[in-house]
């Protein structure tokens, strides 16, 4: 089946630290990959996406590279801010499918 | 602001009540979705509508009844719910269901508590 596995949270970092949130996937076809972010009390917002192997998605200082050989899409940011505190979801969707498959989410807390 | 609005934002209901959740998108999209977000579980897709036609129903109990009167509006009618149905219900829309790389835009959700 199709699934997404994210690193267990919660993750707590200090401001300006380097962030990595791991995401790996299994898919029966060729997926597009996404990172969504959910700030407290809000719905999900698309953070970045990649639709083919070796594509790099980037937004707001966050980056993730679609690695087909390792079936991974790890999220990174070089210097986190308190405002980055949120829950981050990795997700995939297969070509022609309606269903986004989400990971369980990783809660990130950044301390000043 | 993603262009998808949901009302109410919070709802408390008894097990014998009937209530409805409303979602509206202002993006000109043709596909709309209901998701359930429970604590410590991945988001669960409940229903997908494409051009007002239901195209996916993920084994959701009949006490949840969706309605899509047009491509801008989506409802979730609730009837005789159970306490375990308490969750955040998220609506989303996308340009077209099944399109590769298709981004889904989410509303803020309705926090539902069933007593």
């Amino acid at each position: 089946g199709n699934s997404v596995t994210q690193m267990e949270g919660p993750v707590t970092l200090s401001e300006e630290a380097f962030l990595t949130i791991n995401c790996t996937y299994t898919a029966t076809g060729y997926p597009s990959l996404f990172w969504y972010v959910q700030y407290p009390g809000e719905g999900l917002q698309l953070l970045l996406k990649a639709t083919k192997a070796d594509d790099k998605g980037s937004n707001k200082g966050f980056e993730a590279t679609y690695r087909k050989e390792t079936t991974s899409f790890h999220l990174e940011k070089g210097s986190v801010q308190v405002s980055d505190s949120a829950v981050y979801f990795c997700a995939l969707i297969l070509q022609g499918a309606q269903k986004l498959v989400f990971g369980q989410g990783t809660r990130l807390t950044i301390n000043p | 602001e993603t262009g998808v609005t949901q009302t109410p934002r919070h709802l408390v209901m008894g097990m014998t009540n009937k209530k409805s959740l409303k979602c509206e998108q202002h993006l000109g999209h043709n596909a709309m979705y209901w998701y359930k977000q429970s604590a410590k579980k991945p988001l669960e897709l409940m229903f997908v509508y494409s051009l007002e036609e239901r195209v996916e129903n993920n084994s959701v109990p009949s006490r949840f009844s969706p309605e899509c009167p047009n491509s801008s509006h989506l409802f979730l009618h609730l009837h005789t719910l159970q306490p375990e149905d308490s969750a955040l219900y998220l609506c989303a829309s996308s340009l077209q269901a099944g399109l590769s790389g298709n981004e889904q835009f989410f509303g803020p959700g309705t926090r539902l508590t069933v007593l």
Side-chain angles (χ1 to χ4, degrees):
Chain A
N2 305 305
S3 65
V4 175
T5 302
Q6 292 179 233
M7 66 188 288
E8 288 274 339
V11 174
T12 302
L13 296 172
S14 298
E15 209 166 18
E16 300 183 3
F18 184 87
L19 169 71
T20 301
I21 300 179
N22 289 338
C23 171
T24 57
Y25 67 89
T26 58
T28 53
Y30 194 22
S32 295
L33 302 173
F34 304 83
W35 276 101
Y36 281 85
V37 58
Q38 187 175 31
Y39 298 104
E42 298 184 16
L44 276 69
Q45 301 174 30
L46 181 69
L47 182 59
L48 52 84
K49 70 177 186 180
T51 58
K52 61 183 188 295
D54 300 324
D55 266 2
K56 178 187 283 188
S58 61
N59 185 25
K60 299 181 181 179
F62 290 89
E63 293 183 339
T65 301
Y66 189 142
R67 301 284 188 204
K68 190 178 178 190
E69 63 277 11
T70 54
T71 62
S72 64
F73 193 55
H74 305 321
L75 183 68
E76 296 182 336
K77 186 174 185 181
S79 176
V80 292
Q81 306 300 313
V82 172
S83 57
D84 293 326
S85 298
V87 182
Y88 291 81
F89 294 90
C90 186
L92 68 82
I93 191 166
L94 294 179
Q95 283 187 357
Q98 288 95 9
K99 183 177 177 176
L100 263 174
V101 178
F102 285 91
Q104 73 272 30
T106 301
R107 182 175 298 278
L108 173 67
T109 301
I110 307 300
N111 294 322
Chain B
E1 181 63 46
T2 62
V4 181
T5 58
Q6 290 187 244
T7 54
R9 293 294 306 274
H10 300 271
L11 178 63
V12 179
M13 60 187 288
M15 289 191 285
T16 58
N17 292 158
K18 288 185 183 180
K19 297 286 184 183
S20 295
L21 310 184
K22 179 181 176 182
C23 175
E24 184 173 359
Q25 58 96 1
H26 313 274
L27 302 168
H29 288 168
N30 291 319
M32 297 187 78
Y33 310 77
W34 280 117
Y35 287 88
K36 177 182 178 183
Q37 186 178 27
S38 305
K40 299 184 180 179
K41 291 175 72 174
L43 273 83
E44 303 169 58
L45 179 66
M46 301 175 72
F47 301 104
V48 180
Y49 276 82
S50 178
L51 296 171
E52 300 128 57
E53 187 176 324
R54 192 189 310 180
V55 296
E56 188 152 342
N57 175 350
N58 276 348
S59 303
V60 179
S62 59
R63 57 186 183 270
F64 295 92
S65 174
E67 179 190 2
C68 188
N70 55 63
S71 59
S72 298
H73 293 87
L74 184 66
F75 295 89
L76 187 63
H77 302 300
L78 313 173
H79 177 50
T80 59
L81 295 192
Q82 305 298 312
E84 59 265 28
D85 296 322
S86 299
L88 182 68
Y89 288 85
L90 292 164
C91 174
S93 71
S94 66
L95 188 61
Q96 182 179 324
L99 188 64
S100 179
N102 203 11
E103 175 184 347
Q104 293 184 17
F105 292 78
F106 284 80
T110 295
R111 173 69 62 188
L112 173 67
T113 302
V114 181
L115 302 176

